[in-house]
Amino acid sequence: MASLAWICSLTSTSCNAAYSSLPPSHRTATKPAHLEGTLLSSPRRSGAFSKLSSSTLPDIPKLITPEEESGKGLLSFTLEELSDKLGGYGRSTAVWDCIRRGIDPNLYYSKTHAIGDGDSSDRAVLNSWLDACAGDTSTHETSVSDDRNPLEFDKGQGLGQNAWDKLQSIMEKYHSCDETQRSRKKSARKEILCIENSIASLSHMKVSSDGTIKLLLKMVKDGLEVESVIIPWKEKGFSTLCVSSQVGCKQGCSFCATGREYEFLCIQCAFGKVPTKNANCFAIHSGMGKLRSLTADEITVQVYYASKVCRVINSKNTEQSDNMALPTIDNIVFMGMGEPADNALAVVSAANALADRRMFSLAQSKITISTVAPDESAFETLGKAPALLAWSVHAVKDSLRRQLVPTTKSLMEELRHGLVKALSNRSISMRRTMLEVVLISGVNDSDEDAELLSEFAQSIMRDVKGAKVIVNLIPFNDIGHPSHRTPSMERVLDFQRIVIQHGNESGTDKGLNPKVLCYLRTTRGDEESSACGQLATKRRPPIGKTGI
């Protein structure tokens, strides 16, 4: 019988929809009573997050997103589009002066929301950080109202009441499906619509001993949750943010927790109506789970909250040790939950907002989109984004890659051709790419694997003028796989040496072969399941006073 591991956060509505989508021949005469509003929890995922101490959000039914209605939202409108809606470039700039710093413009510019009232998510961040660093928030002042004017100008400047009302109208679009309902709700609603109660709220925050911070964000649309990870590089003076593009993932890579996290209950198999793992069965037995793709706003809101965390923490560190400082976000990698190529339109839209110097203001070279490349078209589609491309290769031999990435549709040579074509259509400065390999002991870490990888990297550089290929080695991070193991550091370093030496020595063309660069990725946040391949919204019992 199939495992009865049910999806965390799946609603009874989704459950009923899943049952209704079964072919008529596979439905039971009467819907099992177990499915009426009941969720089955996996023994692997027992326990629950302790929520951060934040104000109660309004219970607003039937949410949609602007992407579903008009294709864009507050965090993904171009500045020109937002200017048209607010009535001027100066007003849209004032809004983005807030967003870029992790400040909600709906609250900051409100006439009825005093600066001293603060932002509930700011207070939650501060409580969590103090608890992680000191172990007891009771001895600390946890108010964030000391930072009374974080933008250093009067909140009455830059955005008038008329523009603020228009900003609220933009937020209204998240809360109903037609203009009539919006008007009715607007007249009855007293609370201010903001990012926290319209797009996503900060549900949980976990700090590792190395300073890595894992954020759990709850989507207001349906309550589903995604993870983002802030990786501080204090010696370099910046932090990297790893963002998610989907809730779950359907690619099912054997070494990744995201694709293995969600095991759907098969209604028919569970009740013995059809043979287990029947080819026509509704369930996905392999654990390759994708709940849904994120909208562009739900992707960029992860950057908003990461910026908020950096601002709040640093505003309090002026009185404390510099060791507690958190460098600002200067590097974004789409390497969290989900496959960007399966959500390309939203990912490209989000990347445009990240790279716009008037919005999130990140350099294109500081944004990296990583794809497992379900097929060769993935590179062309994602290549339209103002970001560097990275390819999760994992193995050059087709048979081995299919073993590691079971959803692979194309041969490696076909995928290589797709990457070559995409890189050739980019400017010279954007032809840098990474080949990522998760090294698994006894699976893909042999000398032959290293030599093939080196030759593969060389072939890309030979076919694309000005291309620079960097091989990125990632030692396997434990996700509870029954057979996958992390290779020894000695084996990893030998693999790295072979990739470099083979790339420099294999050719006899007097140094005309491109030089292969190969780096070992530093494992960060693995103790809190924040490392590469470990992201999955598994539940945990509360730890500490604020649930960290």
Side-chain angles (χ1 to χ4, degrees):
M1 182 176 292
S3 169
L4 300 184
W6 195 250
I7 308 169
C8 296
S9 305
L10 184 64
T11 64
S12 59
T13 300
S14 299
C15 181
N16 293 333
Y19 183 80
S20 300
S21 67
L22 284 168
S25 60
H26 288 159
R27 299 179 189 173
T28 55
T30 303
K31 184 185 298 184
H34 310 68
L35 300 181
E36 295 294 347
T38 302
L39 299 181
L40 303 179
S41 61
S42 165
R44 294 186 303 153
R45 305 300 177 218
S46 61
F49 270 118
S50 173
K51 301 301 178 183
L52 292 172
S53 54
S54 179
S55 62
T56 303
L57 301 180
D59 183 16
I60 305 173
K62 197 170 185 178
L63 298 165
I64 67 165
T65 65
E67 278 81 355
E68 294 172 320
E69 185 177 58
S70 62
K72 292 290 183 67
L74 173 64
L75 303 181
S76 56
F77 282 131
T78 66
L79 203 69
E80 290 73 20
E81 291 169 336
L82 187 59
S83 297
D84 288 342
K85 292 182 176 296
L86 298 183
Y89 178 80
R91 293 168 177 173
S92 61
T93 300
V95 166
W96 269 99
D97 281 341
C98 285
I99 295 173
R100 193 182 306 113
R101 294 167 172 82
I103 298 172
D104 194 324
N106 297 280
L107 301 179
Y108 189 79
Y109 291 114
S110 169
K111 298 287 188 182
T112 60
H113 187 87
I115 296 178
D117 293 344
D119 183 333
S120 61
S121 57
D122 280 24
R123 291 191 292 272
V125 168
L126 182 60
N127 285 337
S128 300
W129 179 255
L130 291 176
D131 189 56
C133 295
D136 185 5
T137 58
S138 63
T139 60
H140 296 274
E141 171 60 48
T142 57
S143 172
V144 295
S145 60
D146 293 340
D147 188 15
R148 297 186 64 83
N149 202 346
L151 293 187
E152 299 181 353
F153 57 74
D154 186 88
K155 76 171 191 173
Q157 298 175 358
L159 200 68
Q161 183 64 41
N162 184 49
W164 186 84
D165 289 340
K166 293 178 179 178
L167 183 62
Q168 284 288 283
S169 295
I170 293 175
M171 306 308 292
E172 280 279 349
K173 292 186 178 181
Y174 290 94
H175 295 287
S176 63
C177 58
D178 59 53
E179 290 293 339
T180 302
Q181 289 182 349
R182 276 201 290 272
S183 299
R184 184 162 55 251
K185 289 180 179 292
K186 183 176 181 179
S187 61
R189 185 178 292 125
K190 295 181 179 180
E191 77 279 3
I192 297 173
L193 295 181
C194 59
I195 291 173
E196 187 178 14
N197 62 29
S198 299
I199 303 176
S201 61
L202 182 58
S203 176
H204 189 80
M205 176 173 154
K206 187 73 177 180
V207 185
S208 300
S209 60
D210 62 9
T212 299
I213 301 175
K214 180 160 71 172
L215 306 177
L216 183 70
L217 299 182
K218 182 177 182 179
M219 301 298 113
V220 175
K221 175 183 178 181
D222 49 20
L224 294 178
E225 296 173 322
V226 297
E227 292 178 338
S228 308
V229 180
I230 302 173
I231 308 170
W233 303 98
K234 294 183 180 180
E235 68 281 5
K236 299 178 182 178
F238 68 86
S239 294
T240 294
L241 177 66
C242 180
V243 300
S244 297
S245 58
Q246 294 179 306
V247 186
C249 181
K250 72 177 184 180
Q251 297 305 319
C253 300
S254 66
F255 47 81
C256 181
T258 305
R260 292 162 46 84
E261 173 70 11
Y262 304 101
E263 294 183 4
F264 290 77
L265 168 67
C266 172
I267 298 170
Q268 296 295 329
C269 292
F271 294 91
K273 301 299 181 181
V274 295
T276 300
K277 299 188 180 181
N278 185 293
N280 296 320
C281 184
F282 167 78
I284 302 177
H285 293 276
S286 64
M288 295 181 289
K290 187 201 82 171
L291 291 179
R292 70 171 175 87
S293 292
L294 297 178
T295 65
D297 276 24
E298 290 170 334
I299 295 173
T300 51
V301 78
Q302 299 170 61
V303 186
Y304 164 82
Y305 274 108
S307 299
K308 177 187 292 291
V309 169
C310 292
R311 173 179 55 80
V312 171
I313 289 174
N314 290 330
S315 71
K316 289 300 176 183
N317 282 337
T318 56
E319 312 166 356
Q320 303 175 32
S321 170
D322 289 340
N323 292 331
M324 295 177 64
L326 183 63
T328 57
I329 304 298
D330 190 48
N331 195 39
I332 304 287
V333 293
F334 284 77
M335 298 180 183
M337 298 169 63
E339 165 51 49
D342 291 334
N343 189 22
L345 292 179
V347 167
V348 172
S349 178
N352 284 328
L354 296 177
D356 193 315
R357 61 181 178 79
R358 305 160 301 175
M359 296 170 73
F360 282 106
S361 193
L362 289 163
Q364 295 184 22
S365 60
K366 298 292 187 178
I367 307 169
T368 302
I369 299 176
S370 177
T371 176
V372 77
D375 57 57
E376 56 269 33
S377 67
F379 299 114
E380 180 181 2
T381 305
L382 296 176
K384 298 174 183 177
L388 298 176
L389 293 177
W391 181 12
S392 296
V393 173
H394 307 305
V396 175
K397 290 186 289 187
D398 286 308
S399 58
L400 179 55
R401 191 167 195 272
R402 285 199 183 94
Q403 176 186 335
L404 298 174
V405 188
T407 52
T408 297
K409 301 176 183 177
S410 306
L411 298 175
M412 285 299 289
E413 180 55 32
E414 294 171 336
L415 295 174
R416 190 193 74 86
H417 178 74
L419 177 60
V420 165
K421 181 179 178 181
L423 291 177
S424 299
N425 291 331
R426 313 193 96 198
S427 64
I428 295 294
S429 63
M430 296 299 288
R431 291 182 182 180
R432 187 170 85 239
T433 190
M434 281 193 298
L435 302 182
E436 300 166 314
V437 179
V438 172
L439 288 180
I440 306 171
S441 180
V443 177
N444 64 343
D445 64 342
S446 68
D447 290 358
E448 179 188 9
D449 292 320
E451 293 173 356
L452 289 174
L453 181 60
S454 182
E455 294 169 3
F456 193 77
Q458 282 184 330
S459 70
I460 295 172
M461 290 188 285
R462 282 195 297 267
D463 289 351
V464 182
K465 181 180 179 181
K468 181 179 180 181
V469 178
I470 300 171
V471 176
N472 199 3
L473 303 180
I474 310 166
F476 171 70
N477 291 303
D478 182 37
I479 59 170
H481 193 280
S483 60
H484 287 355
R485 297 293 180 268
T486 305
S488 67
M489 184 53 62
E490 180 182 5
R491 176 65 264 187
V492 173
L493 293 176
D494 281 344
F495 192 97
Q496 180 187 33
R497 175 183 53 79
I498 294 171
V499 170
I500 296 173
Q501 289 184 354
H502 188 75
N504 295 334
E505 298 174 357
S506 61
T508 57
D509 52 356
K510 299 181 180 180
L512 294 181
N513 272 358
K515 183 178 181 180
V516 176
L517 300 177
C518 183
Y519 298 106
L520 174 61
R521 180 181 296 181
T522 303
T523 298
R524 299 284 299 274
D526 55 322
E527 67 191 69
E528 300 301 341
S529 297
S530 303
C532 182
Q534 292 183 320
L535 296 190
T537 53
K538 51 189 177 185
R539 299 287 176 169
R540 296 181 182 178
I543 303 175
K545 294 186 178 181
T546 57
I548 295 185

